[in-house]
Amino acid sequence: MADINHPQPRGAPVRILQRILVALALVASATFVAPTGPAQAQVGHDVEICFPADSENGNQVIWNCHLITVPKVALKPGPWPDECLSCPTYVDFLDQVKPWEQWEYLDRLGQGLFLLSRAKLTKDPKLHTRLRQRATEQFLLSAETLHGTGILLGDTGWVDLQNDKVYGDNTLIPLGTHLVEGLMLMQPPVPGDPTPQPNIDKAMHHFNLALKELEILYAG
C-alpha cells in the first residue's frame, strides 16, 4: 500500500553524514555467509506495518504504512481480531516532534524496515550488504529527526484503514519495544557516549529482532 498524504521529501541533514559513513563501513565489514550456487533472492510475502502520525491541525490521524517482506504467511496468521482478519499491524510512538518531523522519522523508519527485510531474504551477499547499508542510512536519518528528544512506546495492535478503527493488542509490545530501542541507539551520541559503531550495531540488532517478531506473527 502506498503511503497516505505523503509530503515532499526533505534533504538529509549534513551533520549526520559522518555517522552514515561510519555505519556503512561497519556494515560492509560484517561477514555474510551465503549458500553455494547461483545468487538469487528468496521469494517472500509483502505485509504491512503502519504508524499513526498527527496532522498539522492535531485533529486527524494520518496512517503512515509500509510494506515489509516476510518469508511466509500462514492461512490464519497471528492473533488477528475476528472483525478484521486482513488488518495490518500498527505501532504508535510517543514523541515530542512537530507533525511534519514526525511524518519524516516514521517514513524513514518504515523504509529502513523494508530494506532490511529484503536484505534478510536475499542469497546474494553483495545485494545483502547493499540493502543493509541503505537500511542503516534510513534508520540513522529517522533517529536524527527526533533531535535527541527521545521516544516512548504507545499503543500496539491492528488497524482497519478503511474504517479508521484500531484494535489494541499487547502481544505486539515486543515488536514496538525493539523499534524504540533501535531508534534510541541510532541517536547521535552526546558527550561521554562511546563511539557510534557499538550503538549502530546494537540498534541494527533490535531492528532485526523487530522483523523477527513480524515473521513469527505472520507465520501463524
Side-chain angles (χ1 to χ4, degrees):
M1 173 180 174
D3 293 340
I4 303 172
N5 300 329
H6 199 306
Q8 291 298 314
R10 301 170 63 189
V14 175
R15 63 183 180 277
I16 195 177
L17 178 60
Q18 185 176 3
R19 296 192 74 235
I20 292 176
L21 293 176
V22 171
L24 299 190
L26 177 67
V27 172
S29 66
T31 301
F32 177 74
V33 180
T36 57
Q40 59 180 348
Q42 294 180 355
V43 176
H45 301 270
D46 287 337
V47 300
E48 268 187 312
I49 183 171
C50 297
F51 308 108
D54 295 329
S55 64
E56 292 192 34
N57 59 24
N59 297 323
Q60 178 186 7
V61 174
I62 303 173
W63 290 96
N64 186 316
C65 298
H66 293 267
L67 294 178
I68 307 295
T69 306
V70 297
K72 61 180 181 178
V73 174
L75 184 62
K76 171 61 171 73
W80 262 245
D82 291 336
E83 301 89 341
C84 195
L85 296 179
S86 61
C87 285
T89 58
Y90 83 87
V91 177
D92 188 13
F93 301 114
L94 304 178
D95 56 62
Q96 301 178 36
V97 297
K98 298 177 176 63
W100 57 89
E101 292 174 321
Q102 185 182 62
W103 181 275
E104 182 175 347
Y105 91 76
L106 293 174
D107 201 49
R108 298 286 192 181
L109 174 62
Q111 292 178 44
L113 290 172
F114 170 74
L115 291 166
L116 188 59
S117 70
R118 289 298 179 92
K120 291 182 65 176
L121 283 178
T122 183
K123 293 181 179 180
D124 183 337
K126 292 183 179 180
L127 179 59
H128 169 88
T129 299
R130 197 157 56 242
L131 289 171
R132 196 168 187 271
Q133 286 175 345
R134 290 173 58 195
T136 303
E137 180 179 354
Q138 291 301 314
F139 291 139
L140 283 167
L141 292 171
S142 177
E144 175 74 6
T145 309
L146 292 169
H147 306 303
T149 59
I151 181 174
L152 297 173
L153 179 62
D155 297 328
T156 59
W158 320 94
V159 54
D160 183 345
L161 295 169
Q162 290 186 342
N163 299 305
D164 197 24
K165 184 176 181 180
V166 298
Y167 301 86
D169 190 340
N170 290 339
T171 63
L172 301 181
I173 287 178
L175 164 64
T177 299
H178 285 304
L179 293 178
V180 169
E181 291 293 333
L183 285 173
M184 291 301 295
L185 286 166
M186 281 290 187
Q187 297 256 9
V190 297
D193 272 1
T195 55
Q197 290 94 326
N199 288 344
I200 291 171
D201 196 33
K202 292 175 183 176
M204 293 302 289
H205 178 64
H206 279 288
F207 290 128
N208 273 303
L209 290 176
L211 289 178
K212 187 64 178 177
E213 291 289 336
L214 281 173
E215 292 171 8
I216 294 172
L217 191 67
Y218 278 93

